């Protein structure tokens, strides 16, 4: 599962076999006009199964256990208005991928909720989803990772009920993906570069983290999407 590569919907590698170049990833994934018009693909997400301490396993299991609908609650009117403005802006950017308003709303609301629940920046999570699955709910990579956040099936056995089919359910997939990413960030003591590499199974190598950071620019609220520096 190491050395995961971008693959087409048919499973064809999108690089020449020598790995994904930084410039190719950023150029293909960061510019909205490019990724919105490109064919759907699934990034070969390759989290590696590693032994977990009982306390860590218990904490992760608890983190994914509550499947209540993601209903945001706000303590102030300003916070609610900020969220609604974010939702409108993100909905407009996601329109080509998800044309139906209700589908976009439910996806974005869930992504926002699960990101906040896990203590993650929602723009980072959306950037990761763009790179991993191009926002395809039923994406499957060449190594078997599933859904929006390309979660490996072994996680459902390690911290869930063992039903890998649930990884195609929107909230379940986003819940698992966010909890796993949070776990990796904690393991790497806050180092996002290393945590993203661990999420992809390419820890210490730059193409995947650079691609996610580039894609994240498309989802920064209050700023126009920016092209990466040449």
């Amino acid at each position: 599962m190491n050395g995961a590569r971008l693959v087409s919907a048919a499973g064809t590698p999108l690089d020449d076999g020598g790995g994904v170049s930084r410039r190719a990833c950023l150029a293909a994934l960061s510019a909205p006009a490019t990724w919105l018009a490109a064919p759907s693909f699934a990034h070969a997400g390759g989290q590696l199964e590693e032994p977990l301490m009982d306390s860590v396993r218990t904490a992760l299991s608890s983190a994914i256990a509550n499947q209540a609908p993601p209903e945001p609650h706000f303590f102030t009117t300003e916070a609610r208005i900020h969220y609604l403005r974010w939702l409108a802006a993100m909905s407009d950017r996601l329109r080509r991928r998800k044309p139906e308003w209700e589908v976009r709303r439910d996806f974005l609301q869930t992504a926002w909720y699960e990101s906040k629940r896990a203590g993650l920046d929602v723009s980072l999570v959306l950037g990761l989803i763009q790179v991993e699955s191009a926002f395809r709910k039923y994406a499957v990579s060449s190594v078997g990772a599933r859904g929006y956040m390309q979660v490996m099936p072994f996680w459902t056995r390690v911290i869930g009920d063992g039903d890998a089919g649930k990884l195609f359910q929107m909230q379940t997939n986003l819940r698992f993906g966010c909890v796993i990413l949070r776990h990796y960030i904690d393991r790497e003591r806050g180092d996002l570069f290393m945590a993203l590499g661990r999420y992809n199974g390419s820890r210490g190598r730059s193409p995947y983290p650079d691609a996610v950071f580039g894609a994240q620019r498309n989802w920064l609220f209050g700023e126009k999407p920016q092209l990466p520096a040449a």
Side-chain angles (χ1 to χ4, degrees):
M1 286 185 286
N2 285 317
R5 296 184 293 169
L6 291 174
V7 296
S8 70
T12 305
L14 296 180
D15 62 78
D16 60 4
V20 184
S21 73
R22 175 179 179 178
R23 179 168 294 182
C25 278
L26 295 178
L29 296 170
S30 296
T34 301
W35 66 262
L36 285 172
S40 296
F41 61 84
H43 196 285
Q47 305 102 22
L48 303 178
E49 184 169 3
E50 304 172 2
L52 296 177
M53 294 176 58
D54 289 343
S55 59
V56 173
R57 188 190 306 270
T58 299
L60 293 177
S61 296
S62 176
I64 59 93
N66 180 11
Q67 293 298 311
E71 295 293 338
H73 296 281
F74 305 96
F75 293 106
T76 67
T77 301
E78 288 181 349
R80 178 171 178 76
I81 290 173
H82 180 82
Y83 167 76
L84 292 175
R85 287 175 176 170
W86 172 86
L87 182 63
M90 298 304 110
S91 176
D92 187 59
R93 297 178 197 181
L94 194 59
R95 189 183 304 274
R96 286 192 182 181
R97 284 291 179 183
K98 297 185 178 297
E100 298 180 13
W101 156 244
E102 292 82 3
V103 173
R104 289 199 310 279
R105 178 201 60 204
D106 290 350
F107 171 80
L108 288 168
Q109 177 175 293
T110 304
W112 183 90
Y113 178 89
E114 295 300 339
S115 298
K116 299 296 183 182
R117 185 177 185 271
L120 301 172
D121 188 326
V122 66
S123 67
L124 179 68
V125 171
L126 291 174
L128 185 148
I129 293 171
Q130 178 184 322
V131 172
E132 286 287 352
S133 67
F135 296 95
R136 291 192 299 130
K137 181 178 181 178
Y138 297 105
V140 179
S141 79
S142 60
V143 295
R146 301 183 180 191
Y148 286 121
M149 295 187 73
Q150 291 291 276
V151 177
M152 293 294 286
F154 73 78
W155 283 108
T156 62
R157 171 175 49 79
V158 173
I159 60 175
D161 61 6
D163 184 358
K166 290 182 179 178
L167 293 177
F168 291 124
Q169 296 175 1
M170 177 179 63
Q171 186 181 4
T172 299
N173 187 274
L174 297 180
R175 172 73 55 87
F176 267 83
C178 288
V179 167
I180 292 164
L181 180 56
R182 177 77 262 168
H183 168 63
Y184 287 149
I185 292 172
D186 291 344
R187 285 200 62 181
E188 297 293 348
R189 299 184 179 182
D191 188 327
L192 289 179
F193 179 89
M194 298 301 287
L196 287 170
R198 189 182 287 275
Y199 190 94
N200 174 250
S202 59
R203 184 178 183 274
R205 298 198 292 272
S206 66
Y208 179 80
D210 284 351
V212 173
F213 291 140
Q216 182 182 9
R217 299 182 187 186
N218 297 316
W219 308 102
L220 294 174
F221 181 47
E223 298 181 20
K224 294 181 179 179
Q226 304 173 25
L227 292 175

